């Protein structure tokens, strides 16, 4: 149980285009989903926290107009990287939490974004 | 906000020896401390976690200790095997708050045969 999927697993796009990444909890309802970014040989950095039906909470330094997050249902959250640039190339990972006293976060497999 | 420091950044041990990775945290409200193993290009994999009401937890060759007073926690891997080679991350969160995980910088562990 507690499986989280992400799609696509990797994407290559041209500079200036937008890319949407989906994160799904397959066998549970996630009250909260988290989006992380990981640059090569670095740690995971939290970008934003999203709760179903409400606006995402962004971490300091993360542009909310550039990284659009939608959490439309208890099983789906999307991250859209708008007007992507080469410096946005990274490994994007989502996680999902059951909430309600459950501590563990379940991670998706990640999406490798390369902006040319 | 929470800040997690992890040491060492790289660790090389002989197969069969023990490995210890240490982390410190800054926010006394943090109460959940997971450890993750991440292989190249893969998702972080939870290997063990500990809550603040426990001082030590063990699962076969892996153990975690927590010192709340000193705000530090450690991962211990005994009888290391080549497949233990990976990057390990500690993290901390406050389950009563936003449940955000703050990660340490990571430790690249290499097990030499």
């Amino acid at each position: 149980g507690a499986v989280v999927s992400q799609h696509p697993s990797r994407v290559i796009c041209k500079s200036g285009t937008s890319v949407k990444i989906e994160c799904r909890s397959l066998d549970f309802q996630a009250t909260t989903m988290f989006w992380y970014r990981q640059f090569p040989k670095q740690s995971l950095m939290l970008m934003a926290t999203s709760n179903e039906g409400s606006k995402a909470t962004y971490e300091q330094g993360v542009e909310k107009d550039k990284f659009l997050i939608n959490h439309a249902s208890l099983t789906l959250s999307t991250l859209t990287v708008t007007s992507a640039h080469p410096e946005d190339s990274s490994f994007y990972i989502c996680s999902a939490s059951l909430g309600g006293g459950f501590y563990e976060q379940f991670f998706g497999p990640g999406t490798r974004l390369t902006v040319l | 906000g929470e800040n997690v420091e992890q040491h060492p950044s790289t660790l090389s041990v002989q197969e069969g020896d023990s490995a210890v990775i240490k982390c410190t945290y800054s926010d006394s409200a943090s109460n959940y401390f997971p450890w993750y193993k991440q292989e190249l290009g893969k998702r972080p994999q939870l290997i063990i976690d500990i809550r603040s009401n426990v001082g030590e937890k063990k699962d076969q060759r892996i153990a975690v200790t927590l010192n709340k007073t000193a705000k530090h926690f450690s991962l211990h891997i005994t009888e290391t095997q080549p497949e233990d080679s990976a990057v390990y991350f500690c993290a901390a969160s406050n389950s009563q708050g936003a449940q955000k995980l703050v990660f340490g910088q990571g430790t690249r562990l290499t097990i030499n045969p």
Side-chain angles (χ1 to χ4, degrees), chain B:
Chain B
E2 175 65 276
N3 182 53
V4 178
E5 297 287 332
Q6 183 172 346
H7 298 280
S9 57
T10 61
L11 180 60
S12 183
V13 301
Q14 288 298 120
E15 182 179 356
D17 289 349
S18 296
V20 180
I21 303 171
K22 299 182 179 181
C23 288
T24 60
Y25 62 100
S26 61
D27 188 352
S28 56
S30 289
N31 60 358
Y32 175 62
F33 307 93
W35 285 89
Y36 296 90
K37 176 183 181 182
Q38 188 181 33
E39 297 177 350
L40 189 62
K42 305 288 187 182
R43 78 185 84 195
Q45 177 188 1
L46 179 70
I47 56 171
I48 196 166
D49 56 11
I50 192 167
R51 302 182 190 181
S52 59
N53 59 347
V54 176
E56 184 174 356
K57 184 176 178 181
K58 188 174 181 180
D59 183 4
Q60 300 183 339
R61 297 186 298 111
I62 295 172
V64 56
T65 58
L66 170 65
N67 183 327
K68 284 195 300 182
T69 303
K71 295 200 194 75
H72 67 70
F73 56 113
S74 301
L75 176 70
H76 304 253
I77 305 175
T78 59
E79 301 172 25
T80 54
Q81 301 167 1
E83 52 266 35
D84 294 330
S85 296
V87 179
Y88 291 80
F89 293 99
C90 63
S93 78
N94 177 1
S95 66
Q96 301 304 313
Q99 298 186 326
K100 301 189 300 185
L101 280 173
V102 177
F103 283 83
Q105 296 86 346
T107 297
R108 180 170 297 279
L109 175 63
T110 302
I111 308 301
N112 301 306

Side-chain angles (χ1 to χ4, degrees), chain A residues 6-37:
Chain A
Q6 261 182 261
H7 179 79
S9 57
R10 57 179 63 228
V11 56
I12 301 173
C13 69
K14 293 183 179 180
S15 187
T17 60
S18 294
V19 174
K20 180 185 284 189
I21 302 170
E22 291 187 350
C23 177
R24 293 181 184 271
S25 56
L26 298 184
D27 52 2
F28 67 102
Q29 293 186 326
T31 58
T32 306
M33 287 186 170
F34 304 86
W35 287 95
Y36 297 85
R37 180 167 54 182

Side-chain angles (χ1 to χ4, degrees), chain A residues 48-77:
Chain A
T49 303
S50 74
N51 291 291
E52 183 260 342
S54 61
K55 289 184 178 180
T57 302
Y58 290 81
E59 293 300 300
Q60 192 171 9
V62 178
E63 301 175 55
K64 62 179 182 179
D65 294 331
K66 180 169 181 63
F67 298 99
L68 301 179
I69 292 172
N70 183 279
H71 193 159
S73 77
L74 285 172
T75 60
L76 173 64
S77 176

Side-chain angles (χ1 to χ4, degrees), chain A residues 98-111:
Chain A
L98 285 164
F102 290 90
Y103 293 51
E104 187 175 352
Q105 287 186 23
F106 303 96
F107 286 85
T111 296

